[in-house]
Amino acid sequence: MTNGGHASPDTSNRPNLVLVHCHDLGQHLGCYGADVDTPNIDRIAGDGARMANSFCSAPQCSPSRSSMMTGYYPHENGVMGLAHMGWALGDDWETLPKRLRAAGYDTALLGFQHEVPDEPERLGYDYVDSGTKRARELVDVVDDFLAARADADDPFFVSIGIEEPHRPFRREYLPEGTYDSADPDAVDLDDFPYLPDEPGVREDAADLGALIEEVLDPAVGRYRESLADAGLAEETVFVFTTDHGLAIPRAKGTCYDPGIETALLVHQPGVVEGGEVHDALVTNVDFTPTMLDLLGIDPPTDASGESFAPLLRGEPHDGRDRLFAEMTWHDRYNPIRAVRTERYKYVRNFSVLPRVFVPMDVAPTASGREVHEEFHVPQRPTEELYDLEADPNETENLASDRKPFETATEASDPDPAHVDALDRLRDELETWMASTDDPLLDGPVPYPDVE
């Protein structure tokens, strides 16, 4: 593999970067306290560091991934919906692979990406193998790639994109023998406190757990083995993450914590190690600046994201006291903006919407059917405020329950004990939207023109 014809700065002491990213996982791992057996992925946390309060910019694939790869929010980089539906990242955007290629890295994509609908080379990859995106099938692809890198001179960045645990979970919809479904009666629904204890919820939770345990986790373990077998482990930053929360009701497609929480594990031998757990708030808008910083490359100074590499290295780091999340388009218009602090979550809804948006890949499933009447029929209020200390499951809205086009006299008043927090976070959200030129401030965001 060549470096794509770019000039090669001195890269002799720079580590490689292996990024493993999967779909729709949230933080549903043993190392985050979930009732699933994930020893291989947990070992990354044990060897390196785990970000306990890691979140994404958007609870859906393309917008979140666009933030991760650029350091900008979706409404800034234009990816306010799914890439295959017209919201693709433009060629002029500086992505993580483009920045690394300019710094002398060979760049490769194995498996899945969703920042553009086709020609992922436009994102800055010198080499692309998108022949499969299944975790097990990628094992040999990753092994061959890393074996070929064993004696290379230039450092490399490889993005390994995994389909699982995207819907469908059910075994009968997947290739025979993919995994054995777990017992729904044995599922610990403490992992899903925002959903009712109903047969359909248990069925989905069981299949999700089996898919993670029997497919995703062993495959990630094999990728790390291939890195070690190639003699590259000691000179490589290994990162495991996901795009957004679980593909179950009240998670994916919402700005509640189950929709925007993400696993983020980082291991860099001699630098980020020892099983550290960091409670600081981080967002995947910070991902590209952080990775560049870890690799010894100056991160961009004009991006919305900021590096938390000092935190990972054990150095002083002020960090964030709030983070922002958003959603605009998915399979329907669902305009939301949100701000989260350690204590509070404020959500602003900009259209007439059902109480909880449930994406099309979730709505017809066993769990989606269980909550349809409760989530789809009632109307969502304009504002939501949650005290995360007293109400971590975000069930008691402390803001007014006023709906769009409803008069103030028809709605309840905000909880007086939290009016100051409501006013402050409302102002902070509006300030952020204005400072980042959010088009939603000018009215409804139209669907993009697609040729």
Side-chain angles (χ1 to χ4, degrees):
M1 186 195 316
T2 68
N3 62 10
H6 53 271
S8 295
D10 181 11
T11 58
S12 57
N13 294 318
R14 285 185 178 158
N16 309 305
L17 174 59
V18 174
L19 167 62
V20 179
H21 50 99
C22 68
H23 263 298
D24 299 15
L25 178 68
Q27 295 180 350
H28 201 61
L29 296 169
C31 60
Y32 279 92
D35 186 29
V36 288
D37 186 19
T38 52
N40 294 288
I41 297 175
D42 295 351
R43 198 169 295 119
I44 306 169
D47 292 341
R50 175 172 68 87
M51 304 308 299
N53 288 299
S54 172
F55 296 89
C56 61
S57 66
Q60 53 183 149
C61 182
S62 299
S64 175
R65 291 169 182 271
S66 75
S67 290
M68 186 168 73
M69 286 298 180
T70 65
Y72 290 84
Y73 293 99
H75 70 261
E76 292 182 290
N77 62 39
V79 187
M80 289 181 283
L82 299 177
H84 64 280
M85 300 179 72
W87 296 98
L89 193 64
D91 290 347
D92 56 337
W93 276 93
E94 285 295 309
T95 62
L96 178 60
K98 284 182 181 179
R99 293 182 186 277
L100 290 176
R101 188 167 66 182
Y105 277 69
D106 288 335
T107 60
L109 169 68
L110 308 179
F112 183 84
Q113 65 79 33
H114 206 196
E115 298 90 80
V116 294
D118 51 25
E119 300 180 1
E121 293 86 353
R122 292 189 288 129
L123 296 170
Y125 294 109
D126 300 319
Y127 174 78
V128 173
D129 186 340
S130 298
T132 183
K133 51 189 178 181
R134 297 292 186 186
R136 284 177 170 173
E137 295 170 1
L138 278 166
V139 167
D140 289 340
V141 176
V142 171
D143 187 68
D144 290 345
F145 173 85
L146 293 174
R149 296 298 315 178
D151 298 319
D153 294 328
D154 291 334
F156 67 89
F157 162 56
V158 59
S159 173
I160 304 169
I162 301 171
E163 175 78 2
E164 292 92 354
H166 196 280
R167 291 283 184 168
F169 303 152
R170 291 299 299 256
R171 179 175 44 165
E172 59 262 33
Y173 298 128
L174 296 167
E176 184 177 357
T178 300
Y179 65 94
D180 295 323
S181 183
D183 178 7
D185 293 333
V187 169
D188 184 356
L189 283 186
D190 287 346
D191 289 341
F192 311 93
Y194 44 89
L195 294 177
D197 187 349
E198 298 290 348
V201 174
R202 286 187 165 277
E203 180 181 318
D204 265 3
D207 287 323
L208 169 65
L211 181 57
I212 292 170
E213 291 182 355
E214 299 184 31
V215 177
L216 177 65
D217 183 71
V220 174
R222 291 286 302 278
Y223 306 155
R224 291 193 82 198
E225 289 177 8
S226 293
L227 186 69
D229 290 344
L232 297 167
E234 294 303 310
E235 56 195 78
T236 299
V237 178
F238 192 99
V239 180
F240 177 84
T241 191
T242 188
D243 48 7
H244 52 72
L246 293 168
I248 57 176
R250 214 174 184 274
K252 181 178 180 178
T254 79
C255 284
Y256 304 124
D257 277 5
I260 60 173
E261 65 187 8
T262 56
L264 179 57
L265 313 175
V266 181
H267 179 220
Q268 183 178 5
V271 180
V272 184
E273 59 182 10
E276 295 291 329
V277 178
H278 299 290
D279 293 325
L281 290 173
V282 299
T283 165
N284 68 355
V285 177
D286 300 332
F287 186 83
T288 282
T290 300
M291 292 301 108
L292 292 171
D293 196 349
L294 279 180
L295 299 178
I297 301 166
D298 290 336
T301 58
D302 57 349
S304 292
E306 55 192 49
S307 171
F308 55 87
L311 177 67
L312 292 171
R313 292 190 292 252
E315 301 168 358
H317 179 64
D318 292 335
R320 293 178 174 271
D321 59 3
R322 63 188 53 93
L323 51 82
F324 299 93
E326 65 180 87
M327 188 169 183
T328 307
W329 279 92
H330 195 72
D331 45 63
R332 64 163 291 177
Y333 190 49
N334 185 44
I336 313 170
R337 299 294 185 264
V339 55
R340 187 196 193 281
T341 67
E342 287 189 7
R343 178 168 181 182
Y344 287 104
K345 166 81 64 61
Y346 172 75
V347 181
R348 176 73 163 85
N349 301 301
F350 287 84
S351 187
V352 178
L353 299 163
R355 179 184 171 195
V356 178
F357 171 71
V358 182
M360 285 184 64
D361 63 326
V362 180
T365 64
S367 59
R369 291 191 295 270
E370 294 283 13
V371 300
H372 177 79
E373 184 174 351
E374 178 186 357
F375 286 1
H376 185 75
V377 176
Q379 190 177 336
R380 196 183 313 174
T382 299
E383 293 183 302
E384 301 172 67
L385 178 70
Y386 301 99
D387 182 348
L388 301 175
E389 289 183 359
D391 178 28
N393 298 324
E394 299 164 281
T395 58
E396 182 181 358
N397 181 16
L398 303 173
S400 169
D401 63 358
R402 183 177 176 181
K403 312 298 191 300
F405 311 116
E406 184 179 48
T407 65
T409 57
E410 296 175 298
S412 66
D413 294 328
D415 187 316
H418 301 277
V419 167
D420 288 346
L422 177 63
D423 290 342
R424 182 181 73 254
L425 293 176
R426 182 191 293 126
D427 289 345
E428 289 180 2
L429 186 73
E430 291 175 355
T431 298
W432 168 70
M433 292 176 68
S435 67
T436 55
D437 296 321
D438 193 332
L440 197 53
L441 288 174
D442 298 325
V445 177
Y447 202 77
D449 293 330
V450 181
E451 296 181 0

